Amino acid sequence: MAVHAVICAILLAAVYSTVQGKITFVFEDDIHECDNGLPLPHVDISQVQIYTEDDGTITINGTTRFTNDYGGPVRWKMYTKRLERGQWVAGIIQRDVFDMCAILTVPNELWYPLVKKLNKQKCPFQKGYEEHMNMINLGNPAEMLNFPPEFVGEWQSFHEITTNRRGFPAKECFKASMSITEV
């Protein structure tokens, strides 16, 4: 499955919750470098849109295109920062998965609602591979988790991806900004 699509599903699921009212997540349009010297992932996501619907559900539309190879294992390390009193401080949401390839199709994983709707559901992903997502509604991932209402606010998530290319580890990183809000 497309790395970007997996990442989006993880981002959505990692920060959603339901407490009394519905909590939902709104992404900024762009991803950014992590400011740690690592390059952005070699995946073109410029044609992908993520919509937060009025009811809090998430819809993904567009094409993800791999501009370099991603072979197993693909490690995904995610950590967050939260805006508190005008300062970005370490957030408590984090996860480190040694091999995403091994668990892409595990039903109880946060990204599974997206993965099951894609054409390719296993690694490797070769340079040039494209995944077309045509208005895939993922539902409201908030129903999967139970975070406290104190999570409403501004967040940044950092995603370090490590894969093997031609026998050498390649490490990349991107940052996504988001708001957690009540619907």
PDB file of all heavy atoms in Angstrom, residues 119-151:
ATOM      1  N   ASN A 119      -5.429  -1.266  -3.905  1.00  0.00           N
ATOM      2  CA  ASN A 119      -5.106  -2.351  -4.836  1.00  0.00           C
ATOM      3  C   ASN A 119      -3.938  -3.191  -4.349  1.00  0.00           C
ATOM      4  O   ASN A 119      -3.970  -4.410  -4.445  1.00  0.00           O
ATOM      5  CB  ASN A 119      -4.791  -1.792  -6.221  1.00  0.00           C
ATOM      6  CG  ASN A 119      -6.017  -1.193  -6.875  1.00  0.00           C
ATOM      7  OD1 ASN A 119      -7.118  -1.719  -6.748  1.00  0.00           O
ATOM      8  ND2 ASN A 119      -5.828  -0.080  -7.553  1.00  0.00           N
ATOM      9  N   LYS A 120      -2.898  -2.563  -3.864  1.00  0.00           N
ATOM     10  CA  LYS A 120      -1.705  -3.287  -3.405  1.00  0.00           C
ATOM     11  C   LYS A 120      -1.652  -3.208  -1.892  1.00  0.00           C
ATOM     12  O   LYS A 120      -1.677  -2.119  -1.328  1.00  0.00           O
ATOM     13  CB  LYS A 120      -0.448  -2.683  -4.030  1.00  0.00           C
ATOM     14  CG  LYS A 120       0.794  -3.460  -3.701  1.00  0.00           C
ATOM     15  CD  LYS A 120       1.974  -2.987  -4.529  1.00  0.00           C
ATOM     16  CE  LYS A 120       3.217  -3.673  -4.018  1.00  0.00           C
ATOM     17  NZ  LYS A 120       3.930  -4.370  -5.007  1.00  0.00           N
ATOM     18  N   GLN A 121      -1.519  -4.374  -1.268  1.00  0.00           N
ATOM     19  CA  GLN A 121      -1.573  -4.425   0.187  1.00  0.00           C
ATOM     20  C   GLN A 121      -0.349  -5.070   0.804  1.00  0.00           C
ATOM     21  O   GLN A 121      -0.389  -5.523   1.944  1.00  0.00           O
ATOM     22  CB  GLN A 121      -2.839  -5.159   0.627  1.00  0.00           C
ATOM     23  CG  GLN A 121      -4.088  -4.479   0.149  1.00  0.00           C
ATOM     24  CD  GLN A 121      -5.348  -5.232   0.515  1.00  0.00           C
ATOM     25  OE1 GLN A 121      -5.312  -6.355   1.012  1.00  0.00           O
ATOM     26  NE2 GLN A 121      -6.478  -4.612   0.268  1.00  0.00           N
ATOM     27  N   LYS A 122       0.765  -5.109   0.043  1.00  0.00           N
ATOM     28  CA  LYS A 122       1.989  -5.674   0.611  1.00  0.00           C
ATOM     29  C   LYS A 122       3.209  -5.055  -0.061  1.00  0.00           C
ATOM     30  O   LYS A 122       3.141  -4.523  -1.166  1.00  0.00           O
ATOM     31  CB  LYS A 122       2.006  -7.194   0.477  1.00  0.00           C
ATOM     32  CG  LYS A 122       1.987  -7.696  -0.951  1.00  0.00           C
ATOM     33  CD  LYS A 122       1.981  -9.205  -1.001  1.00  0.00           C
ATOM     34  CE  LYS A 122       1.978  -9.662  -2.455  1.00  0.00           C
ATOM     35  NZ  LYS A 122       2.113 -11.093  -2.569  1.00  0.00           N
ATOM     36  N   CYS A 123       4.310  -5.109   0.639  1.00  0.00           N
ATOM     37  CA  CYS A 123       5.592  -4.614   0.139  1.00  0.00           C
ATOM     38  C   CYS A 123       6.190  -5.677  -0.784  1.00  0.00           C
ATOM     39  O   CYS A 123       5.820  -6.848  -0.684  1.00  0.00           O
ATOM     40  CB  CYS A 123       6.559  -4.366   1.296  1.00  0.00           C
ATOM     41  SG  CYS A 123       6.001  -3.074   2.447  1.00  0.00           S
ATOM     42  N   PRO A 124       7.103  -5.329  -1.663  1.00  0.00           N
ATOM     43  CA  PRO A 124       7.743  -4.022  -1.843  1.00  0.00           C
ATOM     44  C   PRO A 124       6.922  -3.123  -2.756  1.00  0.00           C
ATOM     45  O   PRO A 124       6.048  -3.578  -3.494  1.00  0.00           O
ATOM     46  CB  PRO A 124       9.070  -4.376  -2.512  1.00  0.00           C
ATOM     47  CG  PRO A 124       8.759  -5.582  -3.328  1.00  0.00           C
ATOM     48  CD  PRO A 124       7.732  -6.344  -2.518  1.00  0.00           C
ATOM     49  N   PHE A 125       7.247  -1.834  -2.695  1.00  0.00           N
ATOM     50  CA  PHE A 125       6.675  -0.838  -3.589  1.00  0.00           C
ATOM     51  C   PHE A 125       7.826  -0.298  -4.423  1.00  0.00           C
ATOM     52  O   PHE A 125       8.746   0.311  -3.889  1.00  0.00           O
ATOM     53  CB  PHE A 125       5.991   0.282  -2.804  1.00  0.00           C
ATOM     54  CG  PHE A 125       4.798  -0.217  -2.040  1.00  0.00           C
ATOM     55  CD1 PHE A 125       4.904  -0.613  -0.727  1.00  0.00           C
ATOM     56  CD2 PHE A 125       3.569  -0.298  -2.667  1.00  0.00           C
ATOM     57  CE1 PHE A 125       3.809  -1.087  -0.031  1.00  0.00           C
ATOM     58  CE2 PHE A 125       2.457  -0.775  -1.984  1.00  0.00           C
ATOM     59  CZ  PHE A 125       2.578  -1.171  -0.656  1.00  0.00           C
ATOM     60  N   GLN A 126       7.755  -0.565  -5.712  1.00  0.00           N
ATOM     61  CA  GLN A 126       8.842  -0.175  -6.612  1.00  0.00           C
ATOM     62  C   GLN A 126       8.664   1.258  -7.101  1.00  0.00           C
ATOM     63  O   GLN A 126       7.541   1.763  -7.191  1.00  0.00           O
ATOM     64  CB  GLN A 126       8.882  -1.125  -7.818  1.00  0.00           C
ATOM     65  CG  GLN A 126       9.067  -2.587  -7.457  1.00  0.00           C
ATOM     66  CD  GLN A 126      10.388  -2.860  -6.774  1.00  0.00           C
ATOM     67  OE1 GLN A 126      11.409  -2.287  -7.132  1.00  0.00           O
ATOM     68  NE2 GLN A 126      10.377  -3.717  -5.767  1.00  0.00           N
ATOM     69  N   LYS A 127       9.781   1.878  -7.428  1.00  0.00           N
ATOM     70  CA  LYS A 127       9.767   3.207  -8.024  1.00  0.00           C
ATOM     71  C   LYS A 127       8.805   3.195  -9.218  1.00  0.00           C
ATOM     72  O   LYS A 127       8.820   2.279 -10.025  1.00  0.00           O
ATOM     73  CB  LYS A 127      11.168   3.579  -8.488  1.00  0.00           C
ATOM     74  CG  LYS A 127      11.258   4.921  -9.153  1.00  0.00           C
ATOM     75  CD  LYS A 127      12.689   5.209  -9.572  1.00  0.00           C
ATOM     76  CE  LYS A 127      12.775   6.545 -10.279  1.00  0.00           C
ATOM     77  NZ  LYS A 127      14.163   6.879 -10.627  1.00  0.00           N
ATOM     78  N   GLY A 128       7.931   4.198  -9.284  1.00  0.00           N
ATOM     79  CA  GLY A 128       6.958   4.294 -10.368  1.00  0.00           C
ATOM     80  C   GLY A 128       5.594   3.738 -10.024  1.00  0.00           C
ATOM     81  O   GLY A 128       4.621   4.018 -10.725  1.00  0.00           O
ATOM     82  N   TYR A 129       5.474   2.946  -8.951  1.00  0.00           N
ATOM     83  CA  TYR A 129       4.169   2.397  -8.585  1.00  0.00           C
ATOM     84  C   TYR A 129       3.226   3.532  -8.186  1.00  0.00           C
ATOM     85  O   TYR A 129       3.607   4.473  -7.510  1.00  0.00           O
ATOM     86  CB  TYR A 129       4.284   1.391  -7.438  1.00  0.00           C
ATOM     87  CG  TYR A 129       2.930   0.895  -7.001  1.00  0.00           C
ATOM     88  CD1 TYR A 129       2.220  -0.001  -7.785  1.00  0.00           C
ATOM     89  CD2 TYR A 129       2.330   1.362  -5.835  1.00  0.00           C
ATOM     90  CE1 TYR A 129       0.953  -0.436  -7.412  1.00  0.00           C
ATOM     91  CE2 TYR A 129       1.074   0.937  -5.457  1.00  0.00           C
ATOM     92  CZ  TYR A 129       0.391   0.037  -6.256  1.00  0.00           C
ATOM     93  OH  TYR A 129      -0.863  -0.376  -5.893  1.00  0.00           O
ATOM     94  N   GLU A 130       1.971   3.426  -8.604  1.00  0.00           N
ATOM     95  CA  GLU A 130       0.940   4.399  -8.260  1.00  0.00           C
ATOM     96  C   GLU A 130      -0.231   3.705  -7.581  1.00  0.00           C
ATOM     97  O   GLU A 130      -0.595   2.594  -7.956  1.00  0.00           O
ATOM     98  CB  GLU A 130       0.421   5.115  -9.508  1.00  0.00           C
ATOM     99  CG  GLU A 130       1.430   5.982 -10.192  1.00  0.00           C
ATOM    100  CD  GLU A 130       0.857   6.715 -11.397  1.00  0.00           C
ATOM    101  OE1 GLU A 130      -0.307   6.447 -11.778  1.00  0.00           O
ATOM    102  OE2 GLU A 130       1.580   7.553 -11.952  1.00  0.00           O
ATOM    103  N   GLU A 131      -0.795   4.386  -6.620  1.00  0.00           N
ATOM    104  CA  GLU A 131      -2.015   3.920  -5.967  1.00  0.00           C
ATOM    105  C   GLU A 131      -3.051   5.012  -6.148  1.00  0.00           C
ATOM    106  O   GLU A 131      -2.824   6.169  -5.809  1.00  0.00           O
ATOM    107  CB  GLU A 131      -1.782   3.657  -4.484  1.00  0.00           C
ATOM    108  CG  GLU A 131      -2.950   3.046  -3.765  1.00  0.00           C
ATOM    109  CD  GLU A 131      -3.266   1.624  -4.189  1.00  0.00           C
ATOM    110  OE1 GLU A 131      -2.372   0.773  -4.188  1.00  0.00           O
ATOM    111  OE2 GLU A 131      -4.451   1.370  -4.515  1.00  0.00           O
ATOM    112  N   HIS A 132      -4.196   4.633  -6.720  1.00  0.00           N
ATOM    113  CA  HIS A 132      -5.276   5.583  -6.990  1.00  0.00           C
ATOM    114  C   HIS A 132      -6.375   5.400  -5.958  1.00  0.00           C
ATOM    115  O   HIS A 132      -6.928   4.311  -5.827  1.00  0.00           O
ATOM    116  CB  HIS A 132      -5.818   5.385  -8.401  1.00  0.00           C
ATOM    117  CG  HIS A 132      -4.753   5.466  -9.446  1.00  0.00           C
ATOM    118  ND1 HIS A 132      -4.257   6.669  -9.905  1.00  0.00           N
ATOM    119  CD2 HIS A 132      -4.053   4.498 -10.082  1.00  0.00           C
ATOM    120  CE1 HIS A 132      -3.312   6.439 -10.802  1.00  0.00           C
ATOM    121  NE2 HIS A 132      -3.160   5.130 -10.922  1.00  0.00           N
ATOM    122  N   MET A 133      -6.669   6.460  -5.246  1.00  0.00           N
ATOM    123  CA  MET A 133      -7.698   6.432  -4.216  1.00  0.00           C
ATOM    124  C   MET A 133      -8.826   7.336  -4.688  1.00  0.00           C
ATOM    125  O   MET A 133      -8.623   8.536  -4.842  1.00  0.00           O
ATOM    126  CB  MET A 133      -7.114   6.894  -2.885  1.00  0.00           C
ATOM    127  CG  MET A 133      -5.999   5.986  -2.403  1.00  0.00           C
ATOM    128  SD  MET A 133      -4.973   6.717  -1.119  1.00  0.00           S
ATOM    129  CE  MET A 133      -4.011   7.880  -2.088  1.00  0.00           C
ATOM    130  N   ASN A 134      -9.986   6.754  -4.928  1.00  0.00           N
ATOM    131  CA  ASN A 134     -11.106   7.505  -5.471  1.00  0.00           C
ATOM    132  C   ASN A 134     -12.156   7.734  -4.383  1.00  0.00           C
ATOM    133  O   ASN A 134     -13.023   6.893  -4.161  1.00  0.00           O
ATOM    134  CB  ASN A 134     -11.710   6.781  -6.673  1.00  0.00           C
ATOM    135  CG  ASN A 134     -12.789   7.583  -7.348  1.00  0.00           C
ATOM    136  OD1 ASN A 134     -12.929   8.781  -7.130  1.00  0.00           O
ATOM    137  ND2 ASN A 134     -13.582   6.917  -8.167  1.00  0.00           N
ATOM    138  N   MET A 135     -12.042   8.857  -3.684  1.00  0.00           N
ATOM    139  CA  MET A 135     -12.994   9.247  -2.637  1.00  0.00           C
ATOM    140  C   MET A 135     -13.261   8.089  -1.671  1.00  0.00           C
ATOM    141  O   MET A 135     -14.397   7.701  -1.435  1.00  0.00           O
ATOM    142  CB  MET A 135     -14.291   9.766  -3.253  1.00  0.00           C
ATOM    143  CG  MET A 135     -14.102  11.015  -4.115  1.00  0.00           C
ATOM    144  SD  MET A 135     -13.346  12.411  -3.249  1.00  0.00           S
ATOM    145  CE  MET A 135     -14.679  12.958  -2.226  1.00  0.00           C
ATOM    146  N   ILE A 136     -12.202   7.560  -1.093  1.00  0.00           N
ATOM    147  CA  ILE A 136     -12.316   6.473  -0.117  1.00  0.00           C
ATOM    148  C   ILE A 136     -12.695   7.072   1.239  1.00  0.00           C
ATOM    149  O   ILE A 136     -11.926   7.837   1.819  1.00  0.00           O
ATOM    150  CB  ILE A 136     -11.005   5.673  -0.010  1.00  0.00           C
ATOM    151  CG1 ILE A 136     -10.674   5.001  -1.340  1.00  0.00           C
ATOM    152  CG2 ILE A 136     -11.105   4.651   1.116  1.00  0.00           C
ATOM    153  CD1 ILE A 136      -9.330   4.297  -1.355  1.00  0.00           C
ATOM    154  N   ASN A 137     -13.880   6.723   1.723  1.00  0.00           N
ATOM    155  CA  ASN A 137     -14.306   7.191   3.028  1.00  0.00           C
ATOM    156  C   ASN A 137     -13.852   6.179   4.067  1.00  0.00           C
ATOM    157  O   ASN A 137     -14.181   4.999   3.985  1.00  0.00           O
ATOM    158  CB  ASN A 137     -15.820   7.397   3.102  1.00  0.00           C
ATOM    159  CG  ASN A 137     -16.215   8.079   4.391  1.00  0.00           C
ATOM    160  OD1 ASN A 137     -16.109   7.517   5.466  1.00  0.00           O
ATOM    161  ND2 ASN A 137     -16.656   9.315   4.275  1.00  0.00           N
ATOM    162  N   LEU A 138     -13.108   6.662   5.053  1.00  0.00           N
ATOM    163  CA  LEU A 138     -12.555   5.788   6.084  1.00  0.00           C
ATOM    164  C   LEU A 138     -13.421   5.709   7.324  1.00  0.00           C
ATOM    165  O   LEU A 138     -13.072   5.034   8.279  1.00  0.00           O
ATOM    166  CB  LEU A 138     -11.156   6.282   6.481  1.00  0.00           C
ATOM    167  CG  LEU A 138     -10.147   6.367   5.349  1.00  0.00           C
ATOM    168  CD1 LEU A 138      -8.854   6.975   5.843  1.00  0.00           C
ATOM    169  CD2 LEU A 138      -9.914   4.994   4.745  1.00  0.00           C
ATOM    170  N   GLY A 139     -14.544   6.404   7.314  1.00  0.00           N
ATOM    171  CA  GLY A 139     -15.345   6.463   8.524  1.00  0.00           C
ATOM    172  C   GLY A 139     -14.697   7.433   9.503  1.00  0.00           C
ATOM    173  O   GLY A 139     -13.859   8.247   9.130  1.00  0.00           O
ATOM    174  N   ASN A 140     -15.078   7.355  10.752  1.00  0.00           N
ATOM    175  CA  ASN A 140     -14.496   8.212  11.779  1.00  0.00           C
ATOM    176  C   ASN A 140     -13.590   7.373  12.665  1.00  0.00           C
ATOM    177  O   ASN A 140     -14.055   6.671  13.547  1.00  0.00           O
ATOM    178  CB  ASN A 140     -15.588   8.874  12.610  1.00  0.00           C
ATOM    179  CG  ASN A 140     -15.036   9.898  13.570  1.00  0.00           C
ATOM    180  OD1 ASN A 140     -13.840   9.964  13.810  1.00  0.00           O
ATOM    181  ND2 ASN A 140     -15.918  10.702  14.134  1.00  0.00           N
ATOM    182  N   PRO A 141     -12.283   7.457  12.419  1.00  0.00           N
ATOM    183  CA  PRO A 141     -11.350   6.668  13.233  1.00  0.00           C
ATOM    184  C   PRO A 141     -11.431   6.997  14.713  1.00  0.00           C
ATOM    185  O   PRO A 141     -10.921   6.246  15.534  1.00  0.00           O
ATOM    186  CB  PRO A 141      -9.978   7.039  12.651  1.00  0.00           C
ATOM    187  CG  PRO A 141     -10.257   7.496  11.267  1.00  0.00           C
ATOM    188  CD  PRO A 141     -11.593   8.167  11.335  1.00  0.00           C
ATOM    189  N   ALA A 142     -12.059   8.092  15.066  1.00  0.00           N
ATOM    190  CA  ALA A 142     -12.207   8.453  16.479  1.00  0.00           C
ATOM    191  C   ALA A 142     -12.925   7.370  17.264  1.00  0.00           C
ATOM    192  O   ALA A 142     -12.710   7.222  18.463  1.00  0.00           O
ATOM    193  CB  ALA A 142     -12.956   9.764  16.598  1.00  0.00           C
ATOM    194  N   GLU A 143     -13.773   6.631  16.598  1.00  0.00           N
ATOM    195  CA  GLU A 143     -14.518   5.576  17.275  1.00  0.00           C
ATOM    196  C   GLU A 143     -13.627   4.407  17.683  1.00  0.00           C
ATOM    197  O   GLU A 143     -14.019   3.600  18.514  1.00  0.00           O
ATOM    198  CB  GLU A 143     -15.668   5.122  16.387  1.00  0.00           C
ATOM    199  CG  GLU A 143     -16.677   6.233  16.162  1.00  0.00           C
ATOM    200  CD  GLU A 143     -17.734   5.904  15.136  1.00  0.00           C
ATOM    201  OE1 GLU A 143     -17.753   4.779  14.612  1.00  0.00           O
ATOM    202  OE2 GLU A 143     -18.563   6.795  14.859  1.00  0.00           O
ATOM    203  N   MET A 144     -12.439   4.337  17.108  1.00  0.00           N
ATOM    204  CA  MET A 144     -11.513   3.250  17.447  1.00  0.00           C
ATOM    205  C   MET A 144     -10.766   3.503  18.750  1.00  0.00           C
ATOM    206  O   MET A 144     -10.296   2.575  19.392  1.00  0.00           O
ATOM    207  CB  MET A 144     -10.494   3.052  16.323  1.00  0.00           C
ATOM    208  CG  MET A 144     -11.097   2.603  15.010  1.00  0.00           C
ATOM    209  SD  MET A 144      -9.880   2.567  13.679  1.00  0.00           S
ATOM    210  CE  MET A 144      -8.722   1.362  14.326  1.00  0.00           C
ATOM    211  N   LEU A 145     -10.630   4.778  19.130  1.00  0.00           N
ATOM    212  CA  LEU A 145      -9.818   5.145  20.291  1.00  0.00           C
ATOM    213  C   LEU A 145     -10.651   5.915  21.301  1.00  0.00           C
ATOM    214  O   LEU A 145     -11.743   6.352  21.007  1.00  0.00           O
ATOM    215  CB  LEU A 145      -8.629   6.010  19.838  1.00  0.00           C
ATOM    216  CG  LEU A 145      -7.710   5.351  18.814  1.00  0.00           C
ATOM    217  CD1 LEU A 145      -6.700   6.356  18.283  1.00  0.00           C
ATOM    218  CD2 LEU A 145      -7.016   4.144  19.417  1.00  0.00           C
ATOM    219  N   ASN A 146     -10.100   6.113  22.454  1.00  0.00           N
ATOM    220  CA  ASN A 146     -10.821   6.844  23.489  1.00  0.00           C
ATOM    221  C   ASN A 146      -9.866   7.831  24.166  1.00  0.00           C
ATOM    222  O   ASN A 146      -9.504   7.664  25.326  1.00  0.00           O
ATOM    223  CB  ASN A 146     -11.422   5.869  24.501  1.00  0.00           C
ATOM    224  CG  ASN A 146     -12.379   6.559  25.437  1.00  0.00           C
ATOM    225  OD1 ASN A 146     -12.870   7.650  25.157  1.00  0.00           O
ATOM    226  ND2 ASN A 146     -12.644   5.935  26.576  1.00  0.00           N
ATOM    227  N   PHE A 147      -9.462   8.872  23.448  1.00  0.00           N
ATOM    228  CA  PHE A 147      -8.580   9.886  24.017  1.00  0.00           C
ATOM    229  C   PHE A 147      -9.414  10.898  24.800  1.00  0.00           C
ATOM    230  O   PHE A 147     -10.566  11.142  24.480  1.00  0.00           O
ATOM    231  CB  PHE A 147      -7.817  10.618  22.919  1.00  0.00           C
ATOM    232  CG  PHE A 147      -6.726   9.800  22.275  1.00  0.00           C
ATOM    233  CD1 PHE A 147      -6.054  10.316  21.185  1.00  0.00           C
ATOM    234  CD2 PHE A 147      -6.365   8.556  22.720  1.00  0.00           C
ATOM    235  CE1 PHE A 147      -5.046   9.596  20.567  1.00  0.00           C
ATOM    236  CE2 PHE A 147      -5.373   7.823  22.117  1.00  0.00           C
ATOM    237  CZ  PHE A 147      -4.710   8.348  21.035  1.00  0.00           C
ATOM    238  N   PRO A 148      -8.807  11.537  25.797  1.00  0.00           N
ATOM    239  CA  PRO A 148      -9.549  12.516  26.597  1.00  0.00           C
ATOM    240  C   PRO A 148      -9.816  13.801  25.815  1.00  0.00           C
ATOM    241  O   PRO A 148      -9.096  14.135  24.867  1.00  0.00           O
ATOM    242  CB  PRO A 148      -8.614  12.776  27.777  1.00  0.00           C
ATOM    243  CG  PRO A 148      -7.262  12.442  27.274  1.00  0.00           C
ATOM    244  CD  PRO A 148      -7.445  11.325  26.286  1.00  0.00           C
ATOM    245  N   PRO A 149     -10.820  14.568  26.198  1.00  0.00           N
ATOM    246  CA  PRO A 149     -11.140  15.816  25.500  1.00  0.00           C
ATOM    247  C   PRO A 149     -10.015  16.838  25.584  1.00  0.00           C
ATOM    248  O   PRO A 149      -9.968  17.776  24.795  1.00  0.00           O
ATOM    249  CB  PRO A 149     -12.408  16.309  26.198  1.00  0.00           C
ATOM    250  CG  PRO A 149     -12.508  15.556  27.467  1.00  0.00           C
ATOM    251  CD  PRO A 149     -11.743  14.282  27.291  1.00  0.00           C
ATOM    252  N   GLU A 150      -9.087  16.656  26.494  1.00  0.00           N
ATOM    253  CA  GLU A 150      -7.952  17.572  26.614  1.00  0.00           C
ATOM    254  C   GLU A 150      -7.032  17.533  25.388  1.00  0.00           C
ATOM    255  O   GLU A 150      -6.163  18.375  25.242  1.00  0.00           O
ATOM    256  CB  GLU A 150      -7.119  17.251  27.874  1.00  0.00           C
ATOM    257  CG  GLU A 150      -7.823  17.540  29.175  1.00  0.00           C
ATOM    258  CD  GLU A 150      -8.770  16.411  29.592  1.00  0.00           C
ATOM    259  OE1 GLU A 150      -8.643  15.276  29.108  1.00  0.00           O
ATOM    260  OE2 GLU A 150      -9.656  16.689  30.406  1.00  0.00           O
ATOM    261  N   PHE A 151      -7.229  16.571  24.493  1.00  0.00           N
ATOM    262  CA  PHE A 151      -6.398  16.480  23.286  1.00  0.00           C
ATOM    263  C   PHE A 151      -6.811  17.488  22.213  1.00  0.00           C
ATOM    264  O   PHE A 151      -6.108  17.658  21.230  1.00  0.00           O
ATOM    265  CB  PHE A 151      -6.442  15.066  22.711  1.00  0.00           C
ATOM    266  CG  PHE A 151      -5.495  14.118  23.399  1.00  0.00           C
ATOM    267  CD1 PHE A 151      -5.282  14.161  24.756  1.00  0.00           C
ATOM    268  CD2 PHE A 151      -4.823  13.174  22.660  1.00  0.00           C
ATOM    269  CE1 PHE A 151      -4.402  13.291  25.377  1.00  0.00           C
ATOM    270  CE2 PHE A 151      -3.941  12.291  23.264  1.00  0.00           C
ATOM    271  CZ  PHE A 151      -3.729  12.351  24.631  1.00  0.00           C
TER     272      PHE A 151
END
